Amino acid sequence: AAPPEASAGDSAGASLDESLARIRTAFGDELAAIAYDFGERGWNDEAGAALSLVRLTRDRDPGRQYIFLPESAWKNASGLKADFAERIDDSRVRYAAQLVVLAKQHVGDGPGAAVWQVLHEALFWNPDAEEVRTFLGHRGKPGDWQVYGEKLRVRQASRNHPVMNWPSGSWIEVSTDHFTISSIAGQASTVELAESAERWRWVWQQVFFDFWNDSQRLAKTLGGSTPKRNSRRFEIVLFADKESYVRQLQQRVPGIEHSTGYYSDQQKISFFYVSDQASVTSTWRHELTHQFFQESVRARPGVFDQGWLWLGEGIAMYMESLQDFGSHVTLGGFDASRLQFSRIRKLREDFYVPVSEISSLPLAQFQARPDLRNLYSQSAGVTQMLMTADGGRYRAGLVDFLRTLYAGKVKNEAFEKMVGLGLAEIDSRYGDFLRVDSAQVRDFLLAPEAVTELALPVANLDDDAMESLGRCRNLVWLDLSGMEVTAGRMERLGGCDQLRQLFLSHGRIGRGALKQLKQLDRLEEIDFSGSDLDDATLGELTGCGAMTSLSLNNTRITDASIPVLAALPALTSVSLAGTRLTPAGRQKLQSTRPGLTIQ
């Protein structure tokens, strides 16, 4: 590797972001050339491995944050040729050195989060960078570094639990550097939670560095001072299942049966239960986010009692968007689960409450609103916009505002001054942020096998984007409302063999498009409401044997569609408001299919 001083080549006066963009592009180009070279030799595995690294440098999704987690050693995929490892090793070590130089040059210039994350990225590319390990406060020595979750202790409790009153010997305690977990769920599940919690804390610590630390202290660390350590352990209570979770907490926490996890800011404990449902794991991240914010600084109690609850919950929901790729994670992205419902509320249902209005709502009033679920969806969307829009332009100011909020020092117009964006401007920009285009779907669907739901109203995707959707093999529901669907586009969804719900409302349905749905043999529900669906097009659904529900409201179908509907063997419900079916036609359909619910 070239000496660090010679490899950074930082342009005079360039910001950290500008310098990072330049060297990431150059490194990505270098990796792409390696990929091309190996591809020309027919070494497809090596070429693919190099291209995956290009996506971490030059070709990043601007709508996501990329957070790198510390590993003890560089991980090369097994079976790749030695030539590949040698060429990658040379490039990655040189690039890591450039990152360290940039971190040193720009520390103290502004918020510390960017520098802190650059140091972690440098360590990802070169885990043997002892200097960076020292900056980050890692223990150990070269070849034997301690990273998250490795210092883990398990012991059988020899006392009654001080909160849950579990008898001595009936529960275990698992502790790491930053967590203490009391559990009746068994050792394997508890250790798994402990290791995951440590990973999530690493992510939170990087994203919100300026909440718990500051750039001046970081500058001293890079100058040789001892790095700041957070010695506090976060407490978690883990139950074996939801039944025991509800039974033992329902007297303490009214409504606990409706939750999948709970953080008590009074007791400073998170309460979880073991489940194989992904939604429960998302709740763990959500509640731990509340805990990290509340307990990592001297926070006042009842932070959101008088307002801004939407932001506190929005940040926790943003952390739910985490996608774990092993040695790095991403946050945000158009495919974030919470963002799908944000789009539905705003773009399809036209639901939106001005941010100024919900910001001033006391906690009790916010939670008592009948549109609470919709407000949560909006909060998730607005917060993700503030964290990722315009290359993360507003992120540092938002974190600064959160720190002020938790300290109880918020003054009038503090948000606008710190974030640099007025509340009314958020209202006007929100809809555009939510809209998805073909390039996003085509280029930045990073983990298609992990996607289970996508709401893409008014997206009007091209064929290549539809091809990308076809790789989402675990997709359960898909909203393409407002889109023009053609036979070619629908054919590309053939890989979505788990799809059960499809929304095609207020769109144009091309001839031959619905014939392609026969390849989706689990498709049960389609919403055609407000589309240009007619009798001829509906007839193409013949043979869709799994179809149980159709919404045909305000379409152009007539009595001529009755034989088609009657011939769908699994159909149990159909909505026909605003169609051209006559009363006699409806009666005929009902008499032909007496068990059919006609709305």
Side-chain angles (χ1 to χ4, degrees), residues 185-208:
Q187 180 171 328
S189 297
T190 311
V191 167
E192 183 178 358
L193 170 58
E195 292 174 342
S196 296
E198 283 286 354
R199 289 176 66 81
W200 299 333
R201 178 190 165 276
W202 275 108
V203 177
W204 179 88
Q205 189 190 57
Q206 289 190 55
V207 175
F208 301 102

Side-chain angles (χ1 to χ4, degrees), residues 423-444:
L423 300 183
E425 194 173 358
I426 293 175
D427 299 340
S428 65
R429 295 183 57 180
Y430 180 55
D432 289 338
F433 167 76
L434 291 176
R435 289 181 175 86
V436 176
D437 59 30
S438 294
Q440 286 174 282
V441 177
R442 182 183 64 244
D443 298 334
F444 301 126

Side-chain angles (χ1 to χ4, degrees), residues 33-55:
I34 292 173
Y36 178 81
D37 182 24
F38 284 119
E40 287 291 288
R41 300 188 206 179
W43 296 359
N44 295 330
D45 290 342
E46 285 74 14
L51 286 175
S52 70
L53 298 179
V54 174
R55 288 190 284 272

Side-chain angles (χ1 to χ4, degrees), residues 525-527 529 548-555 557 565 571-582 585-587 589-590 593-599:
E525 302 178 29
I526 307 181
D527 184 349
S529 300
T548 62
S549 177
L550 287 173
S551 181
L552 307 175
N553 298 332
N554 301 307
T555 60
I557 66 166
L565 296 173
L571 193 66
T572 59
S573 175
V574 60
S575 300
L576 299 170
T579 64
R580 300 176 184 178
L581 262 73
T582 65
R586 293 171 191 251
Q587 186 175 2
L589 176 60
Q590 190 71 83
R593 295 286 299 275
L596 183 64
T597 299
I598 301 177
Q599 301 171 347

